[in-house]
Amino acid sequence: MESDERPGTVLSEAEAWDMLKRSEYGRLAVSVLGEPDIYPLNFVAHNGTLFMRTNPGTKLAELTVNERVAFEVDEVNDDEAWSVVLKGTARVIVAQSEVDEADTLPLKPWIPTRKYTYVEITPTYIHGRHFELGEEPERY
């Protein structure tokens, strides 16, 4: 059977980080007791980790119950797209010196609200792909 599947070009780890650094919005995936959740959020990539801000609630509770998370960003243009998936460990930043350092990052709430809790995601896996977009080939 002939296949014209074009799975895209695999990005190097450096290229994947470049994509993360130029992005502001992504999706955080968490799972507790086998129930997955996905949260859209803004973030910043800094020194090989991701940082986000949040408030007490479901997202924060879930990532403290299960620190293993996945994170995804993507971008689609007229003729190309890319996607980066990162898996890692999330931790709430509690040391004041680390909070002070995180406060210097260009990370502001996405919506007009105060968010005092910083979360750091340290990656254990990162994978990215670049895709050239186009019309579907003839089927028959």
Side-chain angles (χ1 to χ4, degrees), residues 52-107:
M52 56 180 252
R53 289 169 61 181
T54 191
N55 282 325
T58 305
K59 175 179 30 185
L60 184 58
E62 288 181 346
L63 65 83
T64 55
V65 168
N66 181 4
E67 65 186 14
R68 302 288 301 151
V69 299
F71 190 83
E72 192 267 345
V73 296
D74 55 35
E75 181 178 297
V76 179
N77 298 314
D78 292 336
D79 58 353
E80 66 178 349
W82 59 266
S83 175
V84 174
V85 173
L86 178 146
K87 295 178 186 178
T89 304
R91 75 175 180 97
V92 175
I93 296 175
V94 293
Q96 189 60 51
S97 61
E98 290 182 291
V99 171
D100 292 343
E101 186 177 334
D103 274 339
T104 67
L105 298 173
L107 182 60

Side-chain angles (χ1 to χ4, degrees), residues 113 118 128:
T113 185
Y118 283 98

Side-chain angles (χ1 to χ4, degrees), residues 8 27-28 32 40 46 53 71 90-91 97 99 109 119 126 134 140:
R27 284 158 295 287
L28 176 71
V32 174
H46 178 71
R53 289 169 61 181
F71 190 83
R91 75 175 180 97
S97 61
V99 171
V119 175
I126 185 169
Y140 307 103

Side-chain angles (χ1 to χ4, degrees), residues 6-12 15 81-83 127-132:
R6 294 177 26 193
T9 303
V10 175
L11 302 177
S12 69
E15 290 170 322
W82 59 266
S83 175
H127 181 79
R129 285 192 184 270
H130 174 264
F131 304 94
E132 293 180 18

